[in-house]
Amino acid sequence: MARQRAITASKPVLAVATESASMEYTTLGNTGTTVSKLCFGTWRFGRETGGVVETDREEAHDLLDAAWDHGINFIDTANVYGDPDGTSEKWIGEWLDDHDREDFVIASKVYFPFDGWGEPGPNDSGLGRKHIRAQIEGTLERLGTDYLDLYYIHRWDENTPIRETLRTLTDLVREGKVNYLGASSMAAWKLTKALWESDVEGLERFDVTQPMFNAADTDDVGDYLDVCADQDIAICPYSPLAGGFLTGKYERAEDGTVVAPDGSRASLTDLFEDRYTSDTAWEVLEAVESVADELDATPAQVSLRWLMAQDRFTCVPIVGARTPAQLEENVGAVDLELSDDQFARIDDARGVDDDGYR
């Protein structure tokens, strides 16, 4: 495919023409790897909810085909995605058999108990050397690859010294099994501690993080994002559309409760309402919908573009579409360009101050 260079305020971005949209590519933080500005998340692959598989094998392969057709080369999974654990990695590996592995940037994770081999034992979770060593081998086997481009710690392990974890991960990099290290959710001080340990001990450091970050959720992530911005760490936020809230499909009833698309309140969890539907979140959604009307776009596209347009750090949202049509809508975000005023209106609705984020 022919490539054409485009310029952003932060890092160089490459635009690759596809049939529907021009995918943008960017350097992943302080690494030497180039990724699409959207990452395809596969946490629904093989996942059972109420006895029903959310995305079956055929649907998973169709979605991977669609992602690749749209120029997405960045795929996110984890060893515990799917029922049983490992299903997502296995299906991705089967799909990769028909493709060139070198065309893709593959990320997976380690921390949680893995039950794909039976009931977890005392060393079948966490970030100790024994568990990491066992899980990387299983992950590589299921994906049918010799290496991961990116290996995340899925959570912080309170019971294992971060030095042991980083030394083990560093060994994986030196052995060629992993290219770069990433960290998912944790407190800002823990990320800082890990970076300090890497610098002092001469170990590999985290180059990518995966926090929950979106326009609607205004919980205080400012300190965490400040660390990433200062250390040139890329951010690949999960739940970039606030669990679907930022698609605009939910409505607010007169009593302040949330009405789902089917008109049911029962389908919404307390966690959803507590996390995404504050007064501030509704103000953000109003601003997003206003910008979407101006750009003849969808609220989801505007919300994704707002993340992609962050200029303090590389921001690559993880989209977990259920259908190829939904994925095509998400990819349409790369064709948008928010004006300074439009970007600021969303920020203002979030209540950010002059120094950063709430």
Side-chain angles (χ1 to χ4, degrees):
M1 290 185 291
R3 297 193 176 189
Q4 180 179 357
R5 184 174 297 277
I7 302 298
T8 66
S10 52
K11 289 182 176 291
V13 174
L14 298 176
V16 178
T18 67
E19 292 182 0
S20 59
S22 297
M23 179 52 66
E24 293 180 357
Y25 293 74
T26 185
T27 303
L28 189 61
N30 200 33
T31 77
T33 295
T34 298
V35 297
S36 48
K37 286 282 284 183
L38 288 174
C39 176
F40 182 56
T42 63
W43 71 280
R44 287 194 175 95
F45 285 12
R47 182 173 185 262
E48 291 189 16
T49 303
V52 177
V53 177
E54 293 191 23
T55 300
D56 63 26
R57 180 179 179 276
E58 183 178 355
E59 292 168 334
H61 286 185
D62 286 345
L63 283 165
L64 289 166
D65 284 339
W68 180 230
D69 288 344
H70 287 300
I72 295 177
N73 73 337
F74 193 7
I75 300 173
D76 180 86
T77 187
N79 62 335
V80 293
Y81 288 174
D83 295 303
D85 291 348
T87 299
S88 176
E89 291 178 329
K90 180 181 178 181
W91 290 354
I92 293 170
E94 294 169 349
W95 181 82
L96 282 173
D97 281 343
D98 296 325
H99 297 78
D100 186 346
R101 166 67 179 90
E102 293 306 310
D103 286 336
F104 300 94
V105 177
I106 308 295
S108 193
K109 309 177 186 73
V110 62
Y111 171 80
F112 290 108
F114 183 86
D115 63 10
W117 298 330
E119 289 297 320
N123 289 302
D124 290 341
S125 64
L127 299 174
R129 189 183 310 275
K130 185 174 180 65
H131 185 237
I132 291 175
R133 280 288 182 179
Q135 290 307 309
I136 187 63
E137 297 302 329
T139 285
L140 295 178
E141 180 180 355
R142 287 185 293 273
L143 287 169
T145 182
D146 295 329
Y147 72 97
L148 285 177
D149 296 280
L150 177 61
Y151 203 27
Y152 288 100
I153 60 168
H154 214 157
R155 291 293 186 271
W156 182 271
D157 185 352
E158 299 287 356
N159 298 316
T160 302
I162 188 60
R163 180 179 301 177
E164 175 178 335
T165 298
L166 289 169
R167 283 179 173 171
T168 305
L169 294 172
T170 296
D171 288 343
L172 297 183
V173 173
R174 293 172 180 172
E175 293 166 12
K177 294 181 178 180
V178 172
N179 284 345
Y180 300 107
L181 306 181
S184 189
S185 301
M186 66 178 69
W189 72 265
K190 293 179 180 178
L191 176 58
T192 302
K193 177 180 179 179
L195 295 172
W196 178 86
E197 192 74 40
S198 294
D199 291 345
V200 170
E201 297 292 332
L203 302 172
E204 294 291 325
R205 71 203 315 262
F206 295 126
D207 287 306
V208 186
T209 60
Q210 192 176 122
M212 189 178 75
F213 175 43
N214 57 63
D217 186 3
T218 56
D219 284 346
D220 189 0
V221 293
D223 289 346
Y224 189 90
L225 298 178
D226 284 343
V227 174
C228 294
D230 180 72
Q231 295 296 306
D232 199 11
I233 297 174
I235 292 176
C236 295
Y238 71 91
S239 194
L241 298 178
F245 177 78
L246 287 171
T247 65
K249 64 183 180 182
Y250 297 99
E251 297 180 0
R252 196 177 199 183
E254 290 183 3
D255 61 0
T257 57
V258 185
V259 180
D262 61 0
S264 170
R265 292 180 177 85
S267 62
L268 298 174
T269 65
D270 291 339
L271 177 63
F272 179 92
E273 296 206 40
D274 291 342
R275 174 174 287 175
Y276 298 129
T277 59
S278 64
D279 289 340
T280 299
W282 287 109
E283 292 176 12
V284 169
L285 179 59
E286 183 178 351
V288 166
E289 291 177 327
S290 174
V291 172
D293 287 341
E294 295 168 6
L295 296 177
D296 193 23
T298 67
Q301 291 170 337
V302 170
S303 299
L304 290 172
R305 191 67 207 189
W306 178 83
L307 286 168
M308 295 158 64
Q310 300 293 315
D311 61 4
R312 295 202 303 154
F313 39 72
T314 306
C315 190
V316 181
I318 300 173
V319 293
R322 293 176 180 268
T323 65
Q326 192 178 73
L327 182 60
E328 182 174 11
E329 177 190 352
N330 291 340
V331 171
V334 304
D335 283 337
L336 300 184
E337 184 173 348
L338 303 185
S339 68
D340 291 344
D341 173 71
Q342 290 167 334
F343 192 93
R345 278 156 48 195
I346 297 173
D347 268 359
D348 289 345
R350 298 183 79 245
V352 300
D353 58 28
D354 294 336
D355 298 323
Y357 300 92
R358 288 183 55 146

